[in-house]
Amino acid sequence: MPSPPNSGIGLGPRERSRPSFVAPKNRGRALSGRGRFVLDGSKRDRYLLGMTLLREIVDDALADFERVAELARSPCAASTIEVQIADPPHRQPASLPTGKMAVYAFFHDGQALKVGKAGAKSAARYTSQHYNPNSAMSTLARSIVTNPAKLGLTALDDAAVGGWIRENTARVNLLIPASLGLPILSLLEAFLHVRWKPLFEGRSVPDSIEPVAGSVARQFMEGGR
């Protein structure tokens, strides 16, 4: 059976419809809504169910992030964040839209692999660096090449890993108006690190974020539902 068509990058929350699929009973479930899910059933059922659950996980996280931003006294309505979900195989984005900054994530088999951020002037970080293990100090590609066993792989070389990422991962892009400022960008990244617990992150919250952003995200997650 051919793979379902790629939904592509560039569709906002109201432009991209969810798959027309009703999950069979007990075929899949989100784990506490925290960014990881398990799937069962046929390959096509798993694919459609997985994308449905991923969209629900993203929507659920953004609804809670709106509350986090309010606690930080930096309001950011979920409706101001443009959501793009690219099914596997996906195309890496060609550019970072003008006037936008982004938090992005890669998912494989229900597990977040990497959560990162890119400011308005960091287009390369957003578009290409995570597909090339030699492009920067910390990339998804380098993490996979260094520790392929985490994904059940024996080995992937530098030339092959970018193609593997495009072929096997879903990519989530959350585009935020640059006018909201870098603290909101860092706050969202911190919140999603705590929420989704990416496989290739050694810490719950990255060192680069502002201490207040990480503290607010942790307090919400530890004291919330």
Side-chain angles (χ1 to χ4, degrees):
M1 179 183 296
S3 298
N6 188 332
S7 64
I9 283 182
L11 302 181
R14 303 191 186 280
E15 297 173 286
R16 184 183 185 278
S17 61
R18 294 185 181 181
S20 55
F21 173 73
V22 178
K25 187 177 181 180
N26 298 325
R27 280 289 176 89
R29 58 191 175 90
L31 301 183
S32 304
R34 299 306 191 199
R36 183 170 178 269
F37 49 88
V38 293
L39 303 173
D40 197 359
S42 72
K43 182 177 180 181
R44 181 173 177 80
D45 282 358
R46 290 171 59 207
Y47 170 85
L48 293 172
L49 178 57
M51 296 315 299
T52 299
L53 289 174
L54 181 54
R55 182 63 199 230
E56 291 175 355
I57 283 168
V58 171
D59 288 347
D60 185 52
L62 291 183
D64 284 345
F65 176 72
E66 187 171 333
R67 296 165 58 200
V68 169
E70 289 175 0
L71 289 173
R73 298 182 181 178
S74 298
C76 180
S79 61
T80 67
I81 300 174
E82 180 183 353
V83 178
Q84 301 175 344
I85 299 179
D87 310 350
H90 74 262
R91 295 188 301 274
Q92 61 194 81
S95 63
L96 178 61
T98 302
K100 298 286 189 179
M101 50 191 183
V103 172
Y104 50 84
F106 297 86
F107 281 81
H108 174 65
D109 282 352
Q111 169 69 56
L113 302 185
K114 181 80 174 179
V115 174
K117 67 178 178 180
K121 298 181 180 179
S122 301
R125 188 67 175 167
Y126 178 72
T127 60
S128 62
Q129 286 184 356
H130 286 290
Y131 302 86
N132 181 350
N134 300 309
S135 62
M137 289 291 292
S138 176
T139 66
L140 176 58
R142 173 51 55 193
S143 295
I144 293 173
V145 168
T146 301
N147 198 346
K150 281 192 172 185
L151 292 171
L153 304 171
T154 54
L156 270 180
D157 61 28
D158 288 4
V161 66
W164 187 93
I165 292 170
R166 286 186 290 271
E167 186 70 22
N168 294 281
T169 69
R171 176 166 170 153
V172 175
N173 298 324
L174 305 175
L175 297 171
I176 309 167
S179 59
L180 293 181
L182 291 176
I184 279 290
L185 181 70
S186 294
L187 181 61
L188 178 56
E189 185 199 25
F191 176 74
L192 294 180
H193 269 268
V194 177
R195 178 84 163 213
W196 291 345
K197 298 176 177 60
L199 185 64
F200 289 110
E201 298 295 342
R203 298 175 177 83
S204 296
V205 179
D207 291 337
S208 60
I209 66 169
E210 286 81 352
V212 172
S215 175
V216 171
R218 285 192 295 269
Q219 288 177 32
F220 177 82
M221 292 302 297
E222 291 169 1
R225 59 188 178 83

